[in-house]
Amino acid sequence: MKETKIGGLWLSTSQNPKAPFAKGEIEVDGKKIKIIVWKNSYKQAGDKKPDYQIEIDRKEAGMVADPPKAEFTDDIPF
């Protein structure tokens, strides 16, 4: 079976311990998605937790974590 490349990752060079492990971009169904990879620092020997967590880079994608909600009013519009 031929492998299909969907993107790439670049390891962080930051000295900041809160920086992600890696950043990159993948392409799914023709859409490019920026991602970030975090090393799972809570993993302990024998855990079934993943070694790394992958997230969509909402900041780079221009997305907000929680869109603002419309304010509720009980005014009747007539």
Side-chain angles (χ1 to χ4, degrees):
M1 183 173 160
K2 183 179 176 186
E3 294 180 19
T4 302
K5 295 180 184 178
I6 63 168
L9 297 173
W10 287 261
L11 296 178
S12 176
T13 58
S14 174
Q15 298 298 317
N16 183 345
K18 293 185 178 184
F21 176 76
K23 287 185 172 188
E25 185 176 85
I26 59 173
E27 188 171 337
V28 179
D29 295 331
K31 182 178 179 184
K32 292 185 178 184
I33 303 168
K34 293 188 182 258
I35 60 171
I36 51 179
V37 180
W38 301 95
K39 186 166 176 55
N40 191 351
S41 59
Y42 297 107
K43 183 175 172 97
Q44 296 178 5
D47 279 351
K48 294 187 184 253
K49 297 175 186 172
D51 296 317
Y52 299 93
Q53 297 286 339
I54 302 170
E55 298 177 0
I56 293 175
D57 190 345
R58 296 181 178 280
K59 180 178 163 187
E60 289 293 321
M63 301 167 68
V64 293
D66 292 317
K69 295 180 181 174
E71 187 174 320
F72 174 78
T73 63
D74 59 354
D75 294 340
I76 300 173
F78 52 87

